[in-house]
Amino acid sequence: DTEVTQTPKHLVMGMTNKKSLKCEQHMGHRAMYWYKQKAKKPPELMFVYSYEKLSINESVPSRFSPECPNSSLLNLHLHALQPEDSALYLCASSQVDTSKPYEQYFGPGTRLTVT
Amino acid sequence: LAKTTQPISMDSYEGQEVNITCSHNNIATNDYITWYQQFPSQGPRFIIQGYKTKVTNEVASLFIPADRKSSTLSLPRVSLSDTAVYYCLHNFNKFYFGSGTKLNVKP
């Protein structure tokens, strides 16, 4: 199984709502990532988890709160978002190795619209 | 931040070989060079990765000169389904995507 699944596929939320994005993989990968991608732009790294611990936060606003409950799951909790946060949110996973980077496997993304 | 420079777009015809070059002047000693492909409304998909010289897999070849300040992704005999955006990154423990090259394959 080389699949990363993300739910929901689409999400529309108001600026006062609280919602969560979910990501799951069963490849035994111990690194998981969140990216944000605006239309016609490259993915931008947001967070990296390594062995269920947050290792990289790319200065993301606190209205985005990541969580890694176990080695297979990654959540992104959303609260008080702004319309400019509307984007495709991508989850990825990879093996961890200190000697070389491993390929990332990406999910299909969650298309988020903030109204 | 790792920074790469790629052509914004390229056109090709079915059956041709396509070479996409990426410039990465600030590559670090530990960095590898990785290429991803992305179709609209999908996540990127790994194509190939290398450190130096030439790497080949069932999908593409990657050429890296000795100074490692650039790399070239070679796609043999492209088809319409290869129309996508191709991203070059140089990375070790962080992943910063460049602006990408939109490849348009025509019949």
Side-chain angles (χ1 to χ4, degrees):
Chain A
D1 182 6
T2 59
E3 189 179 23
V4 175
T5 59
Q6 291 188 243
T7 55
K9 289 185 178 180
H10 301 275
L11 178 62
V12 179
M13 61 185 291
M15 289 189 285
T16 59
N17 291 160
K18 286 185 179 181
K19 296 287 184 182
S20 296
L21 308 184
K22 296 185 184 303
C23 173
E24 190 168 4
Q25 57 88 14
H26 295 288
M27 294 176 278
H29 291 167
R30 302 305 296 274
M32 297 187 77
Y33 313 78
W34 280 115
Y35 288 85
K36 172 183 177 180
Q37 186 173 28
K38 304 281 277 184
K40 299 188 185 303
K41 297 292 186 182
E44 296 176 28
L45 184 64
M46 299 175 71
F47 302 104
V48 180
Y49 274 83
S50 180
Y51 294 99
E52 297 87 68
K53 293 190 187 305
L54 183 65
S55 61
I56 296 174
N57 176 343
E58 290 291 315
S59 302
V60 179
S62 59
R63 58 186 184 269
F64 296 91
S65 176
E67 178 195 21
C68 190
N70 59 55
S71 60
S72 300
L73 294 174
L74 185 67
N75 299 321
L76 186 62
H77 303 296
L78 314 172
H79 174 55
L81 295 192
Q82 304 296 309
E84 58 265 28
D85 296 322
S86 298
L88 181 69
Y89 287 84
L90 294 162
C91 172
S93 71
S94 74
Q95 296 182 50
V96 178
D97 189 313
T98 57
S99 64
K100 60 173 283 187
Y102 273 92
E103 65 177 277
Q104 293 182 64
Y105 290 79
F106 282 82
T110 293
R111 177 73 61 188
L112 174 68
T113 303
V114 181
T115 60
Chain B
L1 292 181
K3 182 176 175 63
T4 62
T5 304
Q6 305 174 230
I8 294 173
S9 64
M10 295 180 68
D11 289 333
S12 182
Y13 291 92
E14 281 192 293
Q16 288 187 334
E17 178 185 73
V18 171
N19 295 309
I20 306 175
T21 297
C22 177
S23 171
H24 28 80
N25 291 318
N26 297 322
I27 190 167
T29 303
N30 291 341
D31 285 354
Y32 280 66
I33 297 155
T34 310
W35 287 79
Y36 284 82
Q37 174 194 55
Q38 187 176 26
F39 298 110
S41 297
Q42 293 187 25
R45 183 173 72 99
F46 173 87
I47 301 174
I48 198 166
Q49 178 176 280
Y51 185 79
K52 61 181 179 180
T53 61
K54 177 183 175 182
V55 179
T56 297
N57 61 22
E58 65 277 7
V59 176
S61 294
L62 177 60
F63 299 91
I64 305 168
D67 66 3
R68 303 195 334 116
K69 293 186 183 299
S70 67
S71 60
T72 299
L73 174 71
S74 181
L75 304 172
R77 298 180 298 281
V78 294
S79 64
L80 295 176
S81 62
D82 292 317
T83 293
V85 178
Y86 292 82
Y87 292 104
C88 157
L89 17 165
H90 63 91
N91 59 285
F92 187 74
N93 60 355
K94 290 195 176 185
F95 299 84
Y96 297 110
F97 284 76
S99 55
T101 297
K102 174 74 168 68
L103 174 64
N104 183 28
V105 180
K106 304 175 183 179

